[in-house]
Structure formats: structure tokens, C-alpha cells
Amino acid sequence: MGMQKKKLAKVKYTAYIGASIDGRISKDSLSSVDWTSKEDWNFFQKSLSKIDAVIVGHNTFKVSENRLKWRNTIVLTSKISHLKVEGTVTFFNPKKSNLKRFLQNKGYKKVAILGGGKVYDFCLRNKMTDKLFVTIEPYVFTTGVPMFSGNKFKKYGFILESVKRLNKKGTVLLKYKYGN
Amino acid sequence: MGMQKKKLAKVKYTAYIGASIDGRISKDSLSSVDWTSKEDWNFFQKSLSKIDAVIVGHNTFKVSENRLKWRNTIVLTSKISHLKVEGTVTFFNPKKSNLKRFLQNKGYKKVAILGGGKVYDFCLRNKMTDKLFVTIEPYVFTTGVPMFSGNKFKKYGFILESVKRLNKKGTVLLKYKYGN
């Protein structure tokens, strides 16, 4: 009576965000993402070593392509209809195909969400943010790209799991899990 | 040979900001400011007891008028040309008069900056932010009023003085001083 489906493990999603005190992730959407501290960079690289795949937006991909192209990378974009694979990189339109099913079928267990603001917002809205790491660098930008570029106000609840000071000048790493 | 000027003490400015994880201070500019935790509220009230005067924007004043009207309150507004005094409340246009000189002449030593985003930005730009208290409540809003409503990108440096967890769900209080 038809094929028996293999039970697939649930994918765990973790968003990594580096931000200023005032919640900005960069000057503009095509700015380089490497303004954060070396301590945060070290934490981030160590975390990624345990990750099966990463999700990024098209602009974030452009400014990080050299570092991402050897990872399993899903680039979210509205500019294509069918998914397009280039080596380890998959260009994916989440309005045309089911992203969660795609990731599950791939067998990924741990997926990292690396931004920018639209991608963090998309994943949060679609229940794809189990954990949230926010690194707060000790600057105020007063303008720039916000962490989450949403267009509908909602109060998503998180629970703080830990706070860690990463260096002398005061970079702070906050670890949250989703939930009220 | 003219009047001898009394040497005036330097005013110390402290900004108090309650924000979501993603750096939003409210849903919109006329939302009530009391969505933050009671632990933050207690900290805030205790801090204000040592303060000589507070600075707020017009919208923040409107939603907090009942709590502010018995304090020395400076309401920043572009809608008047000459300052207007109503009891302890002074409506002040910082484009028409010198705010720092006004506060100094009043003899205030400790002034608190209470928002909203335009006022935090104005005070930071004008070197009126010696200390910065940021309370991060464990929510993500994805949209809303940003902490600082600037229109020119700049990297203002701060130094972290302390981190404190205020309650079980994970409200965090960060204390910074201005400087690189």
C-alpha cells in the first residue's frame, strides 16, 4: 500500500545575530558583516562547526560568499521560481516551495540562521527559531539595518538561558530559547 | 567690570532605555511605555529618585504626563519658539535655545533622558549621554519604534560597566558609560 515514509528528525534552528546596543546589524544591507569583535567571531566560527546547513538572505550571501560557498548554504530569494543548486549552495524561494520540508528531507538536524533582518524575521514568523544568540557590541549606530525587518508588530516571547561577557570593552553574548 | 559669573557644575546625563531584544522601545510613538517588567520599573523609579530633572519628547510626555508632571521635566518640542513653563514642566525647543546652558543655569546636576527615540538620538549627538542604562526585555517585536531614531550613521562607542539579570524569565540590565 504505497511507500512507507521514513520518520524524519525535527530540525533545530538557531539564529545568530551580531548587533549594536540599539539593535542594528549593519549600516546598510550591503555592508560587510565583519564589524563585530574578534571574540564574537571566534564564538560564531566555533558554533558553525557543529551546524549542518546555514540560511542567509541574498544580500548577506553576496557579502559573505567566499566564506559560505563551501558550506551547505540555503540562500532565500524571491527572484527565482524553482530552486537552483550551485555546488553546496541552494537558491530557494520560500514562497514557491516549502522550506521546512526541504531542510527535513535533506536530513539536516542543526540549521543556523545568519541574517539579514528579513531572513531573521521570516524564520521567526515561521517557527524556525528555537534558539537565539544575540551578541551586543558596545556601540550605538542610531540608524542602519534593524535585527528583524518585520512589517507586523508581534510580541514573540523568549527565555534567557545565559549571559556572558566576551571581552574587556564589554561585548555581551545573550543566549535565548523560544517560549513565553 | 561687569558681573562675576558663578562657576557652574557640569551636568551629568544618564539615558534610561527599556527595549525588546531587537532594540524596539514601543509599538508606535504613542504607545504606552509600561510594557516592561516590574523589576525594571522598580530599578527605574529608584534611579529617578536621585535625579534633578528629566528630558522627554513630546509623545513620551503625552503618554506619561500623569507620572511626570510633579517632576522637573523638560519636554523637547519643535512646535514652540520660546520656552513655555507650566508648573514643573518646561516646553523647550532646542533649535531655538541652548538646552545645555539652560540646564546648567538651572543648577541641575543629574539629568535623566527618558526618550523616545528622537530624544535619545538628539542627546547622544549633542554629547548629553554620559551613562546609558539599557534594559532588555525577553521579547522580539520585529517592528516598532527603534531606540535611537537617527538619520546619520555613526559608531558611538560605549564601555560596559555592568550586566545584571533582573528576574527569572531573563530581563537584563546593561550599564554603559560613554567612551571608546
Side-chain angles (χ1 to χ4, degrees):
Chain A
M1 301 279 280
M3 285 190 300
Q4 190 146 7
K5 276 203 180 161
K6 199 169 69 172
K7 176 120 200 229
L8 294 167
K10 207 171 173 287
V11 183
K12 287 286 266 178
Y13 298 95
T14 305
Y16 294 87
I17 308 182
S20 64
I21 298 169
D22 55 330
R24 309 293 188 165
I25 57 175
S26 62
K27 183 178 174 180
D28 56 57
S29 59
L30 282 173
S31 300
S32 149
V33 290
D34 55 6
W35 61 273
T36 56
S37 60
K38 77 169 192 293
E39 292 81 8
D40 178 56
W41 186 251
N42 293 342
F43 158 75
F44 180 54
Q45 290 303 318
K46 206 176 148 189
S47 304
L48 286 191
S49 69
K50 302 163 212 158
I51 287 289
D52 301 315
V54 306
I55 301 177
V56 290
H58 208 242
N59 289 328
T60 303
F61 180 69
K62 272 189 225 161
V63 293
S64 333
E65 186 166 353
N66 287 331
R67 293 196 295 265
L68 291 173
K69 64 185 173 194
W70 53 275
R71 292 188 187 280
N72 295 321
T73 302
I74 292 79
V75 182
L76 300 190
T77 172
S78 56
K79 287 172 187 148
I80 54 162
S81 302
H82 299 286
L83 64 82
K84 199 174 83 179
V85 180
E86 289 180 7
T88 59
V89 179
T90 303
F91 295 85
F92 196 100
N93 186 341
K95 280 183 181 160
K96 302 286 181 179
S97 318
N98 186 320
L99 179 59
K100 285 164 105 165
R101 195 177 301 146
F102 172 79
L103 296 167
Q104 208 167 33
N105 286 339
K106 281 281 187 181
Y108 298 144
K109 284 180 184 69
K110 291 178 179 179
V111 172
I113 299 149
L114 307 188
K118 278 185 199 167
V119 170
Y120 291 131
D121 180 66
F122 174 86
C123 291
L124 182 57
R125 257 190 295 122
N126 288 284
K127 298 191 185 5
M128 299 167 70
T129 308
D130 302 299
K131 301 263 179 183
L132 176 59
F133 284 95
V134 179
T135 301
I136 301 178
E137 300 290 352
Y139 305 107
V140 171
F141 289 170
T142 76
T143 182
V145 180
M147 279 193 210
F148 290 82
S149 301
N151 45 34
K152 201 180 161 212
F153 183 87
K154 195 176 160 185
K155 205 170 157 185
Y156 295 92
F158 284 84
I159 297 159
L160 185 72
E161 293 196 318
S162 68
V163 187
K164 205 172 153 184
R165 184 176 180 146
L166 296 188
N167 56 28
K168 199 161 168 267
K169 71 178 178 172
T171 301
V172 174
L173 175 62
L174 303 170
K175 182 181 177 185
Y176 294 96
K177 67 174 181 187
Y178 189 80
N180 281 285
Chain B
M1 300 276 282
M3 285 192 299
Q4 192 149 4
K5 274 200 182 164
K6 199 168 68 172
K7 178 124 199 221
L8 294 167
K10 207 173 174 282
V11 183
K12 288 285 269 178
Y13 298 95
T14 305
Y16 293 87
I17 307 181
S20 64
I21 297 169
D22 55 331
R24 309 293 188 165
I25 56 175
S26 62
K27 185 178 174 181
D28 56 56
S29 59
L30 283 173
S31 301
S32 147
V33 291
D34 55 5
W35 60 274
T36 56
S37 61
K38 77 167 190 294
E39 292 81 8
D40 179 56
W41 185 250
N42 292 342
F43 157 75
F44 181 54
Q45 291 303 318
K46 205 176 147 189
S47 304
L48 285 191
S49 69
K50 301 164 212 158
I51 287 290
D52 301 315
V54 306
I55 301 176
V56 291
H58 208 243
N59 289 327
T60 303
F61 180 69
K62 272 189 225 163
V63 295
S64 331
E65 187 166 353
N66 287 333
R67 292 196 296 266
L68 291 174
K69 64 184 173 193
W70 52 274
R71 291 188 188 280
N72 294 323
T73 301
I74 292 78
V75 182
L76 299 191
T77 171
S78 57
K79 286 171 187 148
I80 54 161
S81 301
H82 298 286
L83 63 84
K84 201 175 84 182
V85 180
E86 288 179 8
T88 59
V89 179
T90 303
F91 294 86
F92 195 100
N93 185 342
K95 280 182 181 160
K96 303 284 181 183
S97 318
N98 187 321
L99 179 59
K100 285 164 103 165
R101 195 177 302 147
F102 172 80
L103 296 168
Q104 209 167 29
N105 286 338
K106 279 280 187 182
Y108 298 144
K109 283 182 186 66
K110 291 179 178 181
V111 172
I113 298 148
L114 306 187
K118 278 185 201 167
V119 170
Y120 291 132
D121 180 65
F122 174 85
C123 291
L124 182 56
R125 258 190 296 124
N126 288 284
K127 299 194 183 6
M128 297 168 69
T129 309
D130 302 300
K131 302 263 180 184
L132 175 59
F133 283 95
V134 179
T135 300
I136 301 178
E137 299 289 352
Y139 305 107
V140 170
F141 289 172
T142 79
T143 183
V145 181
M147 280 192 209
F148 290 81
S149 301
N151 46 33
K152 200 178 164 216
F153 182 88
K154 195 177 159 184
K155 207 170 156 185
Y156 295 92
F158 283 85
I159 296 159
L160 185 72
E161 292 195 318
S162 69
V163 186
K164 205 172 156 186
R165 185 177 179 144
L166 296 188
N167 56 28
K168 198 161 168 266
K169 71 177 179 174
T171 301
V172 174
L173 175 62
L174 303 170
K175 181 182 177 186
Y176 294 95
K177 68 174 179 188
Y178 188 80
N180 281 284

